[in-house]
Amino acid sequence: EYGSDMARLTVVLVAALAKFATRKADLTPRVVLLLAKVIKVYRRSSTVSADLRDLVVDRASELLNTLEYPSIAAAVLNGGRRDARLGEDGGDLSALMLSSLLFRVAATH
């Protein structure tokens, strides 16, 4: 079913974006905006079951609240470590690509 697959994908994506925001602090405001929009859209959604809707809203809300405290968010989402694969710069190319995506999503809603 499309709605349930989309809800599950949304849960994975918001978690990945929140985790990435803990590594690139300049992306946090955009991720926070995106999480708020996900919450708003899924609260009004009628295309997924109530259980999946609640799952997405709860997870996005938890991540939104966690990102309010950067040191706690880093510890919870990253185990307090930076990913060595991102290098010393924190993965500037990945951050550039992600920030471009976040800007487009935020601009369209």
mmCIF file of all heavy atoms in Angstrom, residues 56-79:
data_model
loop_
_atom_site.group_PDB
_atom_site.id
_atom_site.type_symbol
_atom_site.label_atom_id
_atom_site.label_comp_id
_atom_site.label_asym_id
_atom_site.label_seq_id
_atom_site.Cartn_x
_atom_site.Cartn_y
_atom_site.Cartn_z
ATOM 1 N N VAL A 56 4.413 8.531 12.519
ATOM 2 C CA VAL A 56 5.181 9.589 11.855
ATOM 3 C C VAL A 56 5.181 10.856 12.699
ATOM 4 O O VAL A 56 6.231 11.464 12.931
ATOM 5 C CB VAL A 56 4.629 9.874 10.438
ATOM 6 C CG1 VAL A 56 5.296 11.104 9.830
ATOM 7 C CG2 VAL A 56 4.812 8.664 9.531
ATOM 8 N N VAL A 57 4.020 11.255 13.174
ATOM 9 C CA VAL A 57 3.913 12.489 13.969
ATOM 10 C C VAL A 57 4.709 12.370 15.262
ATOM 11 O O VAL A 57 5.446 13.289 15.640
ATOM 12 C CB VAL A 57 2.430 12.830 14.254
ATOM 13 C CG1 VAL A 57 2.305 13.946 15.275
ATOM 14 C CG2 VAL A 57 1.719 13.206 12.967
ATOM 15 N N ASP A 58 4.602 11.226 15.926
ATOM 16 C CA ASP A 58 5.345 11.028 17.184
ATOM 17 C C ASP A 58 6.843 11.058 16.955
ATOM 18 O O ASP A 58 7.584 11.711 17.697
ATOM 19 C CB ASP A 58 4.947 9.717 17.853
ATOM 20 C CG ASP A 58 3.537 9.735 18.426
ATOM 21 O OD1 ASP A 58 2.941 10.832 18.499
ATOM 22 O OD2 ASP A 58 3.029 8.647 18.771
ATOM 23 N N ARG A 59 7.306 10.352 15.927
ATOM 24 C CA ARG A 59 8.747 10.304 15.660
ATOM 25 C C ARG A 59 9.275 11.680 15.274
ATOM 26 O O ARG A 59 10.315 12.123 15.762
ATOM 27 C CB ARG A 59 9.052 9.279 14.566
ATOM 28 C CG ARG A 59 10.517 9.100 14.300
ATOM 29 C CD ARG A 59 11.226 8.552 15.514
ATOM 30 N NE ARG A 59 12.630 8.343 15.203
ATOM 31 C CZ ARG A 59 13.604 8.453 16.067
ATOM 32 N NH1 ARG A 59 13.347 8.708 17.319
ATOM 33 N NH2 ARG A 59 14.844 8.262 15.703
ATOM 34 N N ALA A 60 8.574 12.369 14.393
ATOM 35 C CA ALA A 60 9.014 13.705 13.982
ATOM 36 C C ALA A 60 9.004 14.672 15.172
ATOM 37 O O ALA A 60 9.909 15.494 15.321
ATOM 38 C CB ALA A 60 8.139 14.228 12.847
ATOM 39 N N SER A 61 8.000 14.546 16.040
ATOM 40 C CA SER A 61 7.923 15.403 17.233
ATOM 41 C C SER A 61 9.075 15.126 18.188
ATOM 42 O O SER A 61 9.674 16.055 18.739
ATOM 43 C CB SER A 61 6.593 15.196 17.954
ATOM 44 O OG SER A 61 5.521 15.572 17.143
ATOM 45 N N GLU A 62 9.382 13.840 18.385
ATOM 46 C CA GLU A 62 10.513 13.478 19.243
ATOM 47 C C GLU A 62 11.812 14.065 18.706
ATOM 48 O O GLU A 62 12.623 14.620 19.465
ATOM 49 C CB GLU A 62 10.655 11.960 19.323
ATOM 50 C CG GLU A 62 9.573 11.263 20.094
ATOM 51 C CD GLU A 62 9.617 9.750 19.921
ATOM 52 O OE1 GLU A 62 10.502 9.235 19.194
ATOM 53 O OE2 GLU A 62 8.754 9.071 20.497
ATOM 54 N N LEU A 63 12.013 13.944 17.413
ATOM 55 C CA LEU A 63 13.237 14.473 16.806
ATOM 56 C C LEU A 63 13.281 15.992 16.887
ATOM 57 O O LEU A 63 14.337 16.572 17.160
ATOM 58 C CB LEU A 63 13.349 14.002 15.354
ATOM 59 C CG LEU A 63 13.579 12.503 15.188
ATOM 60 C CD1 LEU A 63 13.338 12.089 13.746
ATOM 61 C CD2 LEU A 63 14.983 12.113 15.633
ATOM 62 N N LEU A 64 12.152 16.629 16.663
ATOM 63 C CA LEU A 64 12.077 18.086 16.758
ATOM 64 C C LEU A 64 12.445 18.548 18.166
ATOM 65 O O LEU A 64 13.248 19.470 18.340
ATOM 66 C CB LEU A 64 10.665 18.544 16.388
ATOM 67 C CG LEU A 64 10.409 20.033 16.297
ATOM 68 C CD1 LEU A 64 11.279 20.671 15.226
ATOM 69 C CD2 LEU A 64 8.950 20.277 15.987
ATOM 70 N N ASN A 65 11.902 17.894 19.170
ATOM 71 C CA ASN A 65 12.221 18.245 20.556
ATOM 72 C C ASN A 65 13.676 17.955 20.886
ATOM 73 O O ASN A 65 14.317 18.723 21.608
ATOM 74 C CB ASN A 65 11.297 17.486 21.514
ATOM 75 C CG ASN A 65 9.869 17.963 21.429
ATOM 76 O OD1 ASN A 65 9.603 19.110 21.099
ATOM 77 N ND2 ASN A 65 8.934 17.073 21.707
ATOM 78 N N THR A 66 14.205 16.875 20.364
ATOM 79 C CA THR A 66 15.595 16.512 20.618
ATOM 80 C C THR A 66 16.550 17.531 20.008
ATOM 81 O O THR A 66 17.557 17.889 20.629
ATOM 82 C CB THR A 66 15.905 15.107 20.058
ATOM 83 O OG1 THR A 66 15.003 14.178 20.653
ATOM 84 C CG2 THR A 66 17.331 14.685 20.356
ATOM 85 N N LEU A 67 16.234 18.029 18.818
ATOM 86 C CA LEU A 67 17.121 18.987 18.151
ATOM 87 C C LEU A 67 17.190 20.338 18.863
ATOM 88 O O LEU A 67 18.083 21.126 18.590
ATOM 89 C CB LEU A 67 16.700 19.180 16.693
ATOM 90 C CG LEU A 67 17.028 18.013 15.765
ATOM 91 C CD1 LEU A 67 16.446 18.258 14.377
ATOM 92 C CD2 LEU A 67 18.521 17.765 15.683
ATOM 93 N N GLU A 68 16.265 20.587 19.780
ATOM 94 C CA GLU A 68 16.324 21.825 20.555
ATOM 95 C C GLU A 68 17.533 21.854 21.477
ATOM 96 O O GLU A 68 17.938 22.916 21.948
ATOM 97 C CB GLU A 68 15.046 21.997 21.375
ATOM 98 C CG GLU A 68 13.824 22.299 20.548
ATOM 99 C CD GLU A 68 12.580 22.470 21.391
ATOM 100 O OE1 GLU A 68 12.699 22.642 22.626
ATOM 101 O OE2 GLU A 68 11.487 22.424 20.811
ATOM 102 N N TYR A 69 18.104 20.697 21.762
ATOM 103 C CA TYR A 69 19.262 20.571 22.642
ATOM 104 C C TYR A 69 20.389 19.882 21.859
ATOM 105 O O TYR A 69 20.501 18.661 21.879
ATOM 106 C CB TYR A 69 18.895 19.767 23.891
ATOM 107 C CG TYR A 69 17.690 20.329 24.600
ATOM 108 C CD1 TYR A 69 16.410 19.823 24.381
ATOM 109 C CD2 TYR A 69 17.833 21.406 25.460
ATOM 110 C CE1 TYR A 69 15.305 20.363 25.012
ATOM 111 C CE2 TYR A 69 16.733 21.956 26.096
ATOM 112 C CZ TYR A 69 15.469 21.433 25.868
ATOM 113 O OH TYR A 69 14.381 21.980 26.496
ATOM 114 N N PRO A 70 21.222 20.663 21.160
ATOM 115 C CA PRO A 70 22.212 20.099 20.244
ATOM 116 C C PRO A 70 23.139 19.055 20.859
ATOM 117 O O PRO A 70 23.408 18.027 20.228
ATOM 118 C CB PRO A 70 23.002 21.325 19.775
ATOM 119 C CG PRO A 70 22.065 22.466 19.954
ATOM 120 C CD PRO A 70 21.237 22.127 21.144
ATOM 121 N N SER A 71 23.626 19.271 22.067
ATOM 122 C CA SER A 71 24.559 18.295 22.641
ATOM 123 C C SER A 71 23.845 16.984 22.964
ATOM 124 O O SER A 71 24.408 15.901 22.779
ATOM 125 C CB SER A 71 25.248 18.855 23.882
ATOM 126 O OG SER A 71 24.294 19.215 24.857
ATOM 127 N N ILE A 72 22.613 17.082 23.425
ATOM 128 C CA ILE A 72 21.842 15.874 23.704
ATOM 129 C C ILE A 72 21.488 15.172 22.404
ATOM 130 O O ILE A 72 21.581 13.948 22.288
ATOM 131 C CB ILE A 72 20.578 16.204 24.516
ATOM 132 C CG1 ILE A 72 20.976 16.703 25.898
ATOM 133 C CG2 ILE A 72 19.649 14.993 24.611
ATOM 134 C CD1 ILE A 72 19.833 17.237 26.723
ATOM 135 N N ALA A 73 21.092 15.952 21.397
ATOM 136 C CA ALA A 73 20.753 15.363 20.099
ATOM 137 C C ALA A 73 21.945 14.615 19.505
ATOM 138 O O ALA A 73 21.802 13.512 18.981
ATOM 139 C CB ALA A 73 20.284 16.452 19.141
ATOM 140 N N ALA A 74 23.141 15.204 19.609
ATOM 141 C CA ALA A 74 24.336 14.538 19.086
ATOM 142 C C ALA A 74 24.602 13.234 19.822
ATOM 143 O O ALA A 74 24.934 12.223 19.210
ATOM 144 C CB ALA A 74 25.543 15.463 19.191
ATOM 145 N N ALA A 75 24.431 13.258 21.131
ATOM 146 C CA ALA A 75 24.673 12.049 21.918
ATOM 147 C C ALA A 75 23.638 10.970 21.608
ATOM 148 O O ALA A 75 23.977 9.797 21.466
ATOM 149 C CB ALA A 75 24.659 12.375 23.404
ATOM 150 N N VAL A 76 22.388 11.368 21.476
ATOM 151 C CA VAL A 76 21.319 10.399 21.234
ATOM 152 C C VAL A 76 21.370 9.860 19.808
ATOM 153 O O VAL A 76 21.293 8.652 19.586
ATOM 154 C CB VAL A 76 19.940 11.035 21.516
ATOM 155 C CG1 VAL A 76 18.807 10.151 21.039
ATOM 156 C CG2 VAL A 76 19.799 11.338 22.996
ATOM 157 N N LEU A 77 21.513 10.741 18.845
ATOM 158 C CA LEU A 77 21.414 10.333 17.447
ATOM 159 C C LEU A 77 22.724 9.811 16.862
ATOM 160 O O LEU A 77 22.709 9.061 15.893
ATOM 161 C CB LEU A 77 20.887 11.487 16.596
ATOM 162 C CG LEU A 77 19.484 11.967 16.968
ATOM 163 C CD1 LEU A 77 19.122 13.217 16.180
ATOM 164 C CD2 LEU A 77 18.467 10.863 16.730
ATOM 165 N N ASN A 78 23.847 10.220 17.433
ATOM 166 C CA ASN A 78 25.148 9.815 16.888
ATOM 167 C C ASN A 78 26.006 9.064 17.892
ATOM 168 O O ASN A 78 27.147 8.764 17.607
ATOM 169 C CB ASN A 78 25.948 11.036 16.420
ATOM 170 C CG ASN A 78 25.283 11.751 15.301
ATOM 171 O OD1 ASN A 78 24.746 11.137 14.397
ATOM 172 N ND2 ASN A 78 25.290 13.067 15.363
ATOM 173 N N GLY A 79 25.503 8.836 19.055
ATOM 174 C CA GLY A 79 26.333 8.223 20.075
ATOM 175 C C GLY A 79 27.439 9.158 20.530
ATOM 176 O O GLY A 79 28.451 8.742 21.070
#
